[in-house]
Amino acid sequence: MALRLTRTRTVALVAAVLVCAVAVWIWRDPMAPLRNGLALQGWWIDLSARQVEAGGHRWVYDEHEADDPAAPTVVLVHGFTGGKENWYPLATRLRDRYRLVIPDLPGWGESQRIDGADYGFKAQAARLAAFLRAIRRDGSPIVLVGHSMGGGIVAITAAEQPDLVARVALIDAAGVRFADNAFGLEVLAGSNPFAVYDAASLQRYLDTVFHDRAAQPAIPWPASKAVIDWRIAQAPFEQQVLDRIGRSNERFLPGEMAASIRQPTLLLWCRQDRVIDPSAMALYAEKIPQALQVSLDGCGHMSIMEKPDDVAAAVARLIQQGNPR
């Protein structure tokens, strides 16, 4: 009986120590459990974490090797407030056919942020070109895919680097003067429509970018508190980026430079996009007449998470059937 009690007390003591250790870990870095959960998801779909120095920044990215060394390299570039993890549903559907490279853009996620640096469209496009040179492989053409803000960055990169980028996909892409909506008017008024400062604003943010609540990622407490605290801390940086991509003289630069994109191109929008109004697709199509145009129903701004099967099929069609200008 004494031995049994001793073992019970030992187990209880070990459990208490572990609970305290986890509590200290979360206290020091509230986002750590969420980040580790996302990393586990990446591992589960066979993505490997990588780092590289390019464009004066340390980039953190995920990679999946293709069985065929000549398979295209599909580079997936996230949007404003996003990160590489946004692409995981699509990566699951593309990984068997292509080499995948999925970075956090400089300033975002786990990649390096430098105080005072410019993270607008043009500066990020130059950094993205440097990143592509660092990760490219002979015999594996680069298919550059950008979502939202990432789409604007990709448009500039593709226009400026025709020898580096073989094919282009712009998904719900920023960078043109689309029809007025609540999101755009708030940006022009100096606000951040994506600002998060409490549970209600977090839900508003999710409802803005997702059309279908069932597709929204579950963020239970205490992860929700960690996300809210993190977004509060990121608010000055987000405003700095919005000043460049939404309110400066370069806000329409992607659309202007799109006229120089001669590579095979995909334009994809959701009809219920409340962020980048679907009218943007026609504006890009005027500049890129060779583009395949795909319009999806029943999804919002996060088509890459709400309709990953349809987006994957469109990307595959671009690779297999897209034509240059």
Side-chain angles (χ1 to χ4, degrees):
M1 180 63 71
L3 181 59
R4 184 178 300 169
L5 288 174
T6 300
R7 285 177 177 170
T8 300
R9 288 171 180 167
T10 300
V11 170
L13 179 61
V14 170
V17 170
L18 288 174
V19 168
C20 289
V22 170
V24 170
W25 179 48
I26 294 175
W27 174 74
R28 287 181 174 174
D29 185 359
M31 287 290 286
L34 187 59
R35 275 200 304 270
N36 280 273
L38 293 170
L40 181 61
Q41 184 183 357
W43 172 83
W44 184 257
I45 61 176
D46 199 25
L47 298 174
S48 300
R50 301 278 189 264
Q51 293 189 26
V52 69
E53 295 285 335
H57 282 69
R58 175 181 51 82
W59 293 65
V60 175
Y61 65 100
D62 290 332
E63 183 175 17
H64 175 77
E65 295 287 356
D67 292 334
D68 179 2
T73 294
V74 178
V75 180
L76 304 171
V77 183
H78 68 81
F80 182 75
T81 74
K84 57 186 182 297
E85 295 81 10
N86 295 157
W87 294 103
Y88 285 176
L90 188 64
T92 302
R93 291 153 174 83
L94 295 177
R95 62 181 176 170
D96 293 333
R97 289 172 281 179
Y98 313 112
R99 176 191 176 213
L100 301 181
V101 175
I102 315 173
D104 279 332
L105 285 165
W108 300 93
E110 297 178 89
S111 290
Q112 185 180 11
R113 180 185 301 173
I114 298 174
D115 289 342
D118 178 1
Y119 293 100
F121 283 133
K122 191 167 181 61
Q124 291 285 60
R127 296 185 188 109
L128 179 57
F131 175 76
L132 296 179
R133 293 188 187 94
I135 61 89
R136 68 176 170 176
R137 292 181 183 167
D138 290 341
S140 177
I142 290 176
V143 180
L144 190 55
V145 182
H147 174 251
S148 192
M149 175 188 73
I153 295 167
V154 161
I156 297 172
T157 306
E160 293 183 330
Q161 307 292 335
D163 296 332
L164 188 59
V165 178
R167 295 174 188 264
V168 188
L170 306 181
I171 301 176
D172 306 284
V176 292
R177 183 63 171 92
F178 52 80
D180 285 343
N181 61 12
F183 175 88
L185 292 174
E186 283 190 55
V187 170
L188 291 175
S191 299
N192 177 5
F194 283 176
V196 170
Y197 43 85
D198 58 16
S201 57
L202 175 58
Q203 188 59 56
R204 175 178 179 262
Y205 164 68
L206 293 172
D207 288 340
T208 299
V209 297
F210 287 90
H211 174 67
D212 183 3
R213 274 202 171 186
Q216 295 179 7
I219 313 177
W221 190 92
S224 60
K225 184 181 185 306
V227 170
I228 291 165
D229 291 345
W230 171 252
R231 290 295 305 282
I232 290 172
Q234 299 309 301
F237 176 71
E238 291 179 9
Q239 280 286 13
Q240 172 194 331
V241 175
L242 273 181
D243 285 341
R244 297 298 299 161
I245 69 171
R247 296 184 277 266
S248 79
N249 58 6
E250 71 172 57
R251 66 188 185 277
F252 302 137
L253 182 62
E256 294 166 5
M257 297 197 65
S260 297
I261 295 176
R262 299 190 173 277
Q263 301 96 317
T265 301
L266 165 69
L267 299 174
L268 185 147
W269 253 261
C270 282
R271 296 190 184 101
Q272 290 79 27
D273 192 335
R274 297 170 58 196
V275 179
I276 310 298
D277 187 83
S279 59
M281 184 163 73
L283 298 176
Y284 267 114
E286 289 177 5
K287 301 296 182 71
I288 318 172
Q290 78 276 19
L292 301 168
Q293 297 182 54
V294 176
S295 179
L296 301 179
D297 195 29
C299 53
H301 190 58
M302 295 305 293
S303 55
I304 59 177
M305 298 180 72
E306 291 187 272
K307 296 283 187 177
D309 288 324
D310 295 305
V311 176
V315 171
R317 182 182 169 201
L318 166 69
I319 294 172
Q320 296 162 8
Q321 302 175 16
N323 294 311
R325 190 183 314 184

